[in-house]
Amino acid sequence: MPIPSREEMYSALEERHGTELQKKLDSASVAVCGLGGLGSNIAIALARAGVGYLHIIDFDRVDISNLNRQQYFPEQLGEPKSEAMKDTLERLAPYCHIKADNIKLSEDNIPALLSDADIIVEAFDKADQKAMLVNCVLENMPDKYLVSGSGMAGIAPSNIITTKRITKRFYLCGDGVSDVDDGMGLVSSRVLICAGHQAHAVIRIIAGEFDI
């Protein structure tokens, strides 16, 4: 069966979200940095919502240990995550413009690589990488909105995962406490909840709803 036309898919989203919001989503540009448990789920949520432009970035490859919480298929094992996720997103949202980079972000390349995004999503696994991206964006790209994740490990109650507005353009999602090295590690359901918070924060920013 042929896929629906762009007009048909846009109309279906517009019916759900309303004309004004869907127009804003279609015009938005979001960079998702890291395509693991957080980033793969965030990217899928944003693509399904009708965000018009997604820039997805990761330097890693799909490993069997990823399959418990990350949005990859067993047949994608060994593929670069950026390419595997691009394939999945193109199936889910064929009219979303997706740019995929298989590259490791650093203080040197972040300003140029992320310059095309209205909103930057930090979705790394490691604390030092998270801090590096957040600090680099806050110091060098003050006009960008930034949504970061911190604390989603283990099986603690889901309701302690929250979204907080730290500064005018910086939002932080998670419990702010749990760490992957402190106990059970990352469980799919709790990672998904935090990813949902980040994706929803992005959608609210696009909608012009800044008080989260």
Side-chain angles (χ1 to χ4, degrees), residues 30 89 93 107 202 208:
V30 181
L89 295 176
E107 293 180 358
V202 170

Side-chain angles (χ1 to χ4, degrees), residues 125 127 151-154 175 177-186:
D125 293 331
M152 74 287 307
D175 62 30
V177 177
S178 64
D179 188 271
V180 65
D181 295 324
D182 290 341
M184 180 178 295
L186 297 170

Side-chain angles (χ1 to χ4, degrees), residues 1 18 32 75 78 83 114 116 135 138 152 165 193 197 212:
M1 182 176 179
V32 180
E75 59 266 29
E83 295 179 14
L114 304 184
D116 57 352
N135 291 336
L138 292 178
M152 74 287 307
R165 190 182 188 189
I193 291 165
H197 271 261
I212 297 177

Side-chain angles (χ1 to χ4, degrees), residues 154-209:
I155 56 169
S158 60
N159 286 343
I160 65 175
I161 293 178
T162 61
T163 299
K164 297 179 181 178
R165 190 182 188 189
I166 306 301
T167 67
K168 183 177 179 181
R169 293 177 178 265
F170 176 34
Y171 296 79
L172 187 62
C173 306
D175 62 30
V177 177
S178 64
D179 188 271
V180 65
D181 295 324
D182 290 341
M184 180 178 295
L186 297 170
V187 179
S188 60
S189 52
R190 205 158 190 267
V191 172
L192 181 60
I193 291 165
C194 189
H197 271 261
Q198 288 187 258
H200 195 60
V202 170
I203 290 171
R204 283 182 55 81
I205 292 168
I206 292 170
E209 301 289 342

